[in-house]
Amino acid sequence: MRTEVIVVGAGPTGLMLAYELTLAGVPAVVVEKQRTPSTQSRAGGLQPRTAEVLDLRGLLEPLLAQGPSDKTTGGHFATLPVELDCRPWRTRYPHPVNVPQVRLEAHLERLLGEQGVPVLRGHEVTAVAQDAEGVTVAWHADGAPGGSDAPDGGEARGDGETRVGDGETRGGDGEIRGRYLVACDGGHSTVRRLLGVPFPGRERRMSAVAADLTLASRSEAVPTERKHFSQYTRVSGGFHSILHPIGPDLYRMLFGRLSGQGPDRETPVSADEVREALHAVYGPDTELGELRAASRFGDAVRQVERYREGRVFFAGDAAHIHMPIGGQGVNLGLQDAVNLGWKLAAAIRGWAPDGLLDSYHEERHPVAARVLRHTRAQAVIMNPGGDEELGTVRELVTELLGLPDTNRYVSGMMSGLDLRYPGVGPRLIDLDLTTEDGPTRASRLMCSGRGLLLSLDGRRRSVGDRSDRVEHVMAKTDEDVHGAGALLVRPDGYLAWTDTDGTPLDTALARWFG
């Protein structure tokens, strides 16, 4: 079995990466160990920048249409009782957007299926070998359905040689060959282990539980509507807990003992364990109904030293892990995928400038390192044990977050809206535009996954022989664009050039688009 890019892991990072490659016409195959998608809620929403990124591809509106529009509240830092205000960042999404991870994954996998991209479930990677020409992956398939395979057992869309349906996706052993591999297979990455890639950092110091559940009865202490996240936290009876509604009669509960002690990650979560925490924190009148799904997590902090090892790349939790605070994990992974996808496509299509693939590590490694740093700080500030000295720190940081400049800084950091890569401009503001075809938004011009040259001053410009990778659009706007009359935007939505830079347009085009 052959393809261009092997994606290991069918979580949000792997599925988004495969979708980005599909937009560029690059064949990919997704290999996933689990037979069926997880039904656990996990991440409950998207940070504003991730919402913008999905909007760049036309993916956000269909996701929002699939579920009820819940009351929105501002983000939080360390569960402190101050809403983070993202309005100064000129975004259409000043609050986290309520799109559950389960819904996002299902939507992406459905789109891949429509495009004939194989998602091979029940396939466990057993060996990885790379050479100068590509990567070979061996797997063991447990006989599960192949997932979103190419229709009728035919070829996946694109110009490569991806083939399924001739016995390779059934139970037993098999292998696949590709030019590149991207490991998106989580914090316990099999690819990382097989290649012997170190995962340095700090071991976990606490154990906690995330559970989806219903309640047979509830006390007045149980929240019944969406509130700011800070209002869900409670400490009582030797436990700390966060319990909040995620759907009709459905709750998500995060809890752990104040001592930090708990079973290891592989120990199943029992109903009795959840029931004990419910009674301790919310009183005996709160009774467990059904335990739908549950898993354990800790506060380990780790990051690979290099996001690229030859023809193998690491993205999402396979590259970095941290305590799940503030909805950072799924957002990091999705943006890893969008940063890497167009660069891989450029390399495969033969127009990638020197250093483009290496820029993935150079740009994304510092971003995750920053998230690891501030999630560690938040874990301390949250102070679930009620330490008096740390309580004074919480009070001080709460006061600071009430200051507009501090709130703007932290909201930009937590939302991802403040992100700037070295030598690259800020993100493209989603401007209201008028083009020859009528009113539109800047994000609507980037759904193809190509770059964008946006001329706002009435002057036509040339992209040379790059029209297959950069679209030139003439438009007008009444909005402030920092005095620029023209903008060159990378496929991931960041400014590569403006006519106020003092450098020729062709220099920027050559740097990013060959």
Side-chain angles (χ1 to χ4, degrees):
M1 185 176 184
R2 297 186 64 87
T3 190
E4 295 287 3
V5 180
I6 305 165
V7 179
V8 181
T13 304
L15 295 172
M16 188 70 196
L17 177 65
Y19 183 77
E20 287 289 292
L21 293 169
T22 299
L23 284 180
V26 172
V29 171
V30 182
V31 181
E32 169 57 50
K33 177 180 178 181
Q34 300 299 323
R35 288 175 60 97
T36 58
S38 171
T39 59
Q40 190 170 356
S41 60
R42 293 170 291 169
L46 305 172
Q47 288 288 355
R49 179 53 188 160
T50 304
E52 290 184 342
V53 168
L54 291 175
D55 221 9
L56 289 177
R57 300 296 184 259
L59 295 173
L60 188 61
E61 286 186 6
L63 285 167
L64 293 176
Q66 293 175 25
S69 180
D70 296 330
K71 174 185 176 184
T72 57
T73 62
H76 73 91
F77 179 79
T79 70
L80 294 173
V82 180
E83 292 197 17
L84 299 181
D85 182 5
C86 291
R87 288 174 298 178
W89 293 100
R90 296 180 64 189
T91 177
R92 295 181 186 271
Y93 307 102
H95 308 108
V97 177
N98 301 320
V99 175
Q101 183 174 333
V102 171
R103 188 191 306 167
L104 172 63
E105 290 179 3
H107 185 63
L108 289 172
E109 189 162 350
R110 183 164 52 251
L111 291 176
L112 292 177
E114 292 171 358
Q115 296 298 316
V117 178
V119 179
L120 306 181
R121 292 193 170 274
H123 286 59
E124 181 176 3
V125 173
T126 57
V128 177
Q130 61 173 315
D131 53 46
E133 303 299 323
V135 185
T136 301
V137 169
W139 67 47
H140 176 75
D142 64 4
S148 304
D149 291 349
D152 303 320
E155 293 188 354
R157 286 187 59 175
D159 301 327
E161 299 180 75
T162 302
R163 295 179 182 273
V164 298
D166 50 7
E168 293 164 301
T169 64
R170 301 189 183 99
D173 298 328
E175 67 177 33
I176 183 171
R177 174 79 172 172
R179 290 176 64 180
Y180 295 97
L181 181 150
V182 185
C184 307
D185 52 343
H188 295 266
S189 168
T190 299
V191 174
R192 198 181 58 232
R193 174 177 57 79
L194 290 171
L195 291 178
V197 174
F199 202 29
R202 194 201 70 204
E203 295 279 356
R204 73 171 178 91
R205 300 180 302 184
M206 55 81 74
S207 175
V209 171
D212 295 349
L213 52 88
T214 64
L215 296 175
S217 62
R218 61 191 180 209
S219 68
E220 293 183 356
V222 176
T224 57
E225 60 181 17
R226 184 174 292 275
K227 303 177 182 179
H228 188 252
F229 207 72
S230 61
Q231 298 184 54
Y232 297 138
T233 61
R234 292 181 68 89
V235 176
S236 182
F239 287 89
H240 59 87
S241 175
I242 297 173
L243 180 67
H244 59 99
I246 58 174
D249 302 318
L250 185 63
Y251 284 82
R252 187 171 198 238
M253 184 179 182
L254 309 174
F255 70 89
R257 296 186 181 275
L258 294 181
S259 64
Q261 297 175 347
D264 61 41
R265 181 178 178 271
E266 302 304 322
T267 303
V269 179
S270 69
D272 286 342
E273 184 179 356
V274 176
R275 191 174 291 112
E276 180 186 5
L278 281 171
H279 289 170
V281 181
Y282 303 96
D285 293 339
T286 301
E287 187 58 54
L288 177 65
E290 179 186 2
L291 181 58
R292 297 278 182 87
S295 59
R296 300 187 190 277
F297 66 91
D299 63 345
V301 179
R302 297 185 180 279
Q303 186 178 26
V304 295
E305 294 176 346
R306 296 184 300 274
Y307 280 16
R308 180 183 185 183
E309 296 286 343
R311 289 182 171 269
V312 177
F313 296 82
F314 297 91
D317 288 352
H320 40 70
I321 60 170
H322 57 84
M323 188 174 179
I325 303 174
Q328 298 295 302
V330 69
N331 296 280
L332 269 179
L334 286 172
Q335 292 180 60
D336 285 349
V338 174
N339 184 285
L340 178 59
W342 67 279
K343 297 173 182 178
L344 268 180
I348 290 167
R349 291 301 186 206
W351 58 262
D354 290 343
L356 185 65
L357 278 181
D358 288 331
S359 74
Y360 167 63
H361 167 85
E362 294 162 0
E363 293 180 350
R364 294 302 299 170
H365 191 280
V367 173
R370 183 192 193 196
V371 170
L372 267 58
R373 200 161 51 242
H374 74 63
T375 52
R376 291 180 69 175
Q378 289 182 77
V380 174
I381 295 170
M382 285 173 66
N383 188 23
D387 180 272
E388 184 177 345
E389 297 301 319
L390 283 178
T392 62
V393 174
R394 283 181 62 86
E395 292 174 2
L396 176 59
V397 177
T398 299
E399 291 178 9
L400 292 174
L401 288 175
L403 302 176
D405 287 348
T406 308
N407 196 294
R408 181 183 186 277
Y409 175 86
V410 176
S411 70
M413 176 181 71
M414 293 294 290
S415 66
L417 294 171
D418 70 347
L419 179 59
R420 292 282 297 264
Y421 297 128
V424 182
R427 76 191 209 287
L428 172 68
I429 302 298
D430 193 7
L431 304 167
D432 286 312
L433 302 172
T434 301
T435 69
E436 296 174 350
D437 297 324
T440 188
R441 290 160 46 186
S443 61
R444 297 294 181 265
L445 303 177
M446 303 200 67
C447 293
S448 67
R450 294 187 293 170
L452 172 67
L453 176 59
L454 186 60
S455 289
L456 302 171
D457 57 4
R459 176 185 166 191
R460 292 194 176 275
R461 294 169 170 84
S462 173
V463 298
D465 60 357
R466 307 177 184 90
S467 59
D468 61 331
R469 64 204 78 149
V470 182
E471 184 175 2
H472 182 205
V473 176
M474 305 287 291
K476 295 181 180 180
T477 183
D478 294 329
E479 298 191 51
D480 172 34
V481 287
H482 309 292
L487 314 167
L488 178 64
V489 189
R490 302 191 328 182
D492 56 355
Y494 290 91
L495 298 186
W497 172 89
T498 73
D499 62 349
T500 62
D501 285 354
T503 57
L505 169 60
D506 199 61
T507 300
L509 285 166
R511 177 187 177 189
W512 295 111
F513 299 100

